[in-house]
Amino acid sequence: MTPSQDKSPLPRRNRWWSLSVASIGTLIVTTDSGQLSIALPAIITEFNADLTLAGWIALVYALMTASLYLPCGRLSDLVGVGKLFMAGFVLYALSSLAAGYAQGAGQLIFFRALQAGGSALIMANNFALVTALFPREERGRAMGIAGGAISALGYSLGPVLGGLLTHGFGWRSNFYLSAALAAAGFGAARLLLPPESFKGSSGRKEPFDLAGALAFALGISLLLFALMTAQKETGQNLPVGLALLGGTLALGFFVWWEKRLSFPLLDLNLFRIPAFTLGNSARGISFIAMSVNNLLMPFFLQLAMGLDPMRAGILVAPMPFAMALLAPFTGWMSERFLPEWLCSAGLAVTSVAFVFLGFLSPSSTSIEVVLGLALLGVGM
């Protein structure tokens, strides 16, 4: 499958059915994120832990996905998007099931890491699948659906489902639901993806850059570990310094190594394209902003405002609900207006929303929370 093609190899009806596979993958990962954010207070209570456990659950997921997105994207070029989709669904289902049976914090963190591996296999290939299946004139709408509306739907359903399941059946039920959704995604991928998606895009065998993948994973992991460790109390200066130094050296080796290869893991010449560099920078900033809110808001609502998981889940839903309403429209707009102007406007609205949310206090009303989160959803 050629990622830059302007004409789809599939009939119109078939490619829109195939889009459902990418949509299911997006729905699984985004729903799980919202569910877990609401369930975290219950998890740390059962394991008699503190916020450090919540931080490690988030950190290990970030370590794995950040380390694996790039190698998984390259693997899809070599072995085919469809194969990685199916492998991702299998790994996600099994690890989610195991996480639901975890008997301690260590087990939960380990299975959460495996779950992140499945997520990377799925999400690293979502946009590649959409780009390969759809011609240029339909691509914006397809990405608006699979990457925007479905993401927003998942983020909307996640907190509500997380609140209902945690309140009614305990936090483990959230992982069981994720396992069931991933099993459904595997079936959809097997039935609906075209045969071309199970073939590599290259006509000749190209080597996989294992050294580059390891260097990239090591560098990103050490830097994230340093940031996590730096949040703790004094006495952590040496580990933080060593992790920062090791991460910097590993990423420096990665850049040097990629420049000398004929088939690199990452073609560094891509960063000479302004739209690629600036677009990914904006995407990174928006994800950081959304992640901060997703991690902290459930704790604020449940621990500071004293709400139960179900009410907290309902209150955080306006943000993704606003995203769901606007995503198809903004996808359509991206086909007719300069995307950089849309991104700039969205980030500006996001900034205003965070200023508003920064003034919330334990005495704030539910209406204030809803308004702030809805405005954040509009910006996103």
Side-chain angles (χ1 to χ4, degrees):
M1 302 180 73
T2 306
S4 60
Q5 65 192 24
D6 291 332
K7 293 183 178 180
S8 173
L10 295 176
R12 179 180 177 87
R13 182 167 177 253
N14 290 18
R15 60 178 177 261
W16 285 102
W17 274 111
S18 297
L19 180 67
S20 64
V21 177
S23 299
I24 291 173
T26 302
L27 182 66
I28 290 170
V29 174
T30 53
T31 301
D32 173 84
S33 174
Q35 289 175 248
L36 189 64
S37 66
I38 293 297
L40 277 176
I43 293 174
I44 64 176
T45 299
E46 177 170 328
F47 290 140
N48 195 27
D50 55 20
L51 286 177
T52 302
L53 173 60
W56 273 105
I57 291 175
L59 174 65
V60 72
Y61 197 89
L63 288 177
M64 290 296 293
T65 52
S67 301
L68 293 177
Y69 270 150
L70 188 56
C72 287
R74 176 58 178 154
L75 280 174
S76 70
D77 294 334
L78 301 179
V79 304
V81 174
K83 293 178 182 177
L84 291 192
F85 257 114
M86 294 182 66
F89 284 131
V90 170
L91 180 57
Y92 204 93
L94 294 177
S95 57
S96 297
L97 193 62
Y101 282 102
Q103 299 302 305
Q107 291 182 18
L108 180 60
I109 291 173
F110 175 75
F111 293 127
R112 183 65 174 164
L114 294 181
Q115 194 181 39
S119 171
L121 288 169
I122 296 170
M123 297 302 293
N125 298 287
N126 254 13
F127 286 146
L129 180 66
V130 173
T131 302
L133 290 177
F134 288 85
R136 187 184 302 274
E137 63 270 15
E138 295 180 346
R139 208 168 287 160
R141 278 167 288 171
M143 288 187 175
I145 293 172
I150 299 299
S151 291
L153 178 63
Y155 284 123
S156 298
L157 290 175
V160 178
L161 286 174
L164 291 173
L165 290 173
T166 303
H167 187 72
F169 305 99
W171 62 266
R172 298 177 187 274
S173 58
N174 292 283
F175 288 106
Y176 299 149
L177 177 61
S178 295
L181 290 175
F186 174 83
R190 189 69 185 89
L191 292 173
L192 299 176
L193 286 183
E196 293 84 355
S197 68
F198 293 90
K199 302 175 183 178
S201 60
S202 176
R204 56 177 175 169
K205 293 292 183 181
E206 297 178 1
F208 179 72
D209 181 14
L210 181 60
L214 293 175
F216 180 79
L218 179 63
I220 292 295
S221 297
L222 287 175
L223 290 179
L224 288 176
F225 176 79
L227 292 175
M228 178 67 184
T229 307
Q231 301 176 45
K232 299 180 180 180
E233 298 178 0
T234 58
Q236 303 292 334
N237 292 336
L238 181 60
V240 171
L242 291 175
L244 285 174
L245 177 61
T248 302
L249 291 176
L251 289 182
F253 171 80
F254 172 75
V255 172
W256 172 81
W257 180 256
E258 297 303 288
K259 287 182 177 180
R260 63 189 298 271
L261 291 183
S262 299
F263 301 102
L265 184 69
L266 174 63
D267 185 359
L268 298 176
N269 290 323
L270 290 172
F271 290 98
R272 296 180 179 179
I273 304 173
F276 178 86
T277 302
L278 297 176
N280 278 286
S281 298
R283 183 175 173 84
I285 292 171
S286 65
F287 267 98
I288 290 172
M290 188 162 59
S291 297
V292 170
N293 176 76
N294 290 344
L295 178 64
L296 296 181
M297 186 57 66
F299 285 96
F300 171 76
L301 295 176
Q302 295 181 62
L303 301 183
M305 295 185 65
L307 304 179
D308 59 50
M310 184 168 63
R311 290 186 62 194
I314 293 173
L315 278 187
V316 300
M319 183 193 79
F321 183 71
M323 292 172 61
L325 289 178
L326 288 176
F329 176 66
T330 54
W332 173 83
M333 289 177 65
S334 70
E335 298 172 359
R336 290 158 176 79
F337 304 100
L338 290 175
E340 52 265 35
W341 285 104
L342 299 177
C343 290
S344 299
L347 290 172
V349 174
T350 299
S351 300
V352 173
F354 272 113
V355 171
F356 181 88
L357 291 171
F359 285 96
L360 293 179
S361 68
S363 60
S364 297
T365 65
S366 298
I367 297 298
E368 292 175 305
V369 175
V370 168
L371 288 176
L373 291 179
L375 185 62
L376 182 61
V378 170
M380 288 297 177

